[in-house]
Amino acid sequence: MTTQDTLPAGKVWLVGAGPGDPELLTLKAARLIARADALVYDHLVGDGIMDLARPDARRIYAGKEASKHTMPQGDINQLLVDLAREGLSVVRLKGGDPFIFGRGGEELETLVGSGIPFEVVPGVTAAAGCGAYSGFPLTHRDHAQSVTFVTGHLKDGTVNLDWPALARPKHTVVFYMGIGAAEEICRQMINHGLPSMTPAAVVRNGTQKDQQTVLGTLGTLPHRIAESGIKPPALIVVGSVVGLHEKLSWFEGKA
Ligand code: SAH
């Protein structure tokens, strides 16, 4: 990005908007949002972020709530090409990081195919944001030497994951889009060898004012989810790091 005031025409920036708190935007993201001629944004772009856009900027909502895809992916890909061909500077704004369960790669492939120049700006992914704001370090020398980000939502509604690889000790697993499959996830993690007492949590609207964390274990989480009525967008964190919440939580209920 240059320091000049206007952005080059006919170009697309695929920008991560982070998990919600506008202060978690990168400086680069904030500057691009403030200068773009057109912004194409998703459902998960946090409140307050679109307010940074120019008053005269064109704003296009591309949707994407679970199972309520407002605009088909092919149309979004084509829209980016069309806006760039109109000679606009285009910010394609996605929640979290655009390359983590964001279909950012698919959008870029269309741009490449059409010869449209682009850049990618990473963002704070939901797992990092929820871990930080819920007090779960995703790795910790005493608890987890590795972390896996996985999607709990498959196109056909099944959850067909590599369970033996996920259900390992000293490991943290973050399930994006997993809340609807929580029961299956917890059952499989136990069936593949993790103790049912393994700490597990759901975090909804992480980093936002109304962030909600529901704590349990692999044995109790599905019941805790039903009891609390917690809804997407939320992710599930499994592993003993979740037990650190009690000591390290600093945000929820305190903001
Ligand atoms: N590209 C995004 C993920 C998109 S997939 C990223 O890097 O974060 C959408 C899923 O992300 C949601 O279903 C939910 O599981 C998770 N998610 C996104 N924002 C979240 C938030 N603020 N709190 C909790 N989960 C969130």
Side-chain angles (χ1 to χ4, degrees), residues 19-20 44 94-102 124-127 130 175-178 203-208 232-235:
L44 285 175
K94 288 179 167 284
D97 181 275
F99 277 0
I100 296 189
F101 307 126
V124 174
T125 190
C130 291
F175 295 89
Y176 286 66
M177 297 171 271
V203 185
R204 172 171 204 266
N205 282 345
T207 81
Q208 299 171 29
L235 45 71

Side-chain angles (χ1 to χ4, degrees), residues 158-170:
T158 63
V159 198
N160 186 15
L161 298 171
D162 183 358
W163 298 110
L166 298 176
R168 284 187 285 125
K170 297 257 173 195

Side-chain angles (χ1 to χ4, degrees), residues 138-156:
L138 298 180
T139 67
H140 184 296
R141 286 196 296 173
D142 298 335
H143 296 272
Q145 276 74 52
S146 54
V147 55
T148 300
F149 298 165
V150 62
T151 171
H153 169 89
L154 294 189
K155 271 188 183 162
D156 62 359

Side-chain angles (χ1 to χ4, degrees), residues 11-88:
K11 180 166 172 173
V12 176
W13 287 262
L14 178 64
V15 176
D21 179 349
E23 293 209 290
L24 293 177
L25 282 174
T26 59
L27 291 175
K28 190 163 185 173
R31 292 170 69 194
L32 290 165
I33 293 165
R35 290 170 191 194
D37 296 323
L39 297 100
V40 180
Y41 64 102
D42 276 356
H43 163 64
L44 285 175
V45 171
D47 292 345
I49 289 176
M50 288 300 292
D51 298 346
L52 301 174
R54 277 174 19 209
D56 64 325
R58 212 183 296 177
R59 293 148 207 257
I60 301 157
Y61 176 65
K64 290 239 191 87
E65 281 172 76
S67 63
K68 257 201 270 177
H69 284 202
T70 313
M71 204 185 274
Q73 187 64 47
D75 292 2
I76 298 173
N77 300 350
Q78 192 54 46
L79 174 68
L80 298 175
V81 171
D82 294 345
L83 291 169
R85 288 207 170 131
E86 261 188 64
L88 302 176

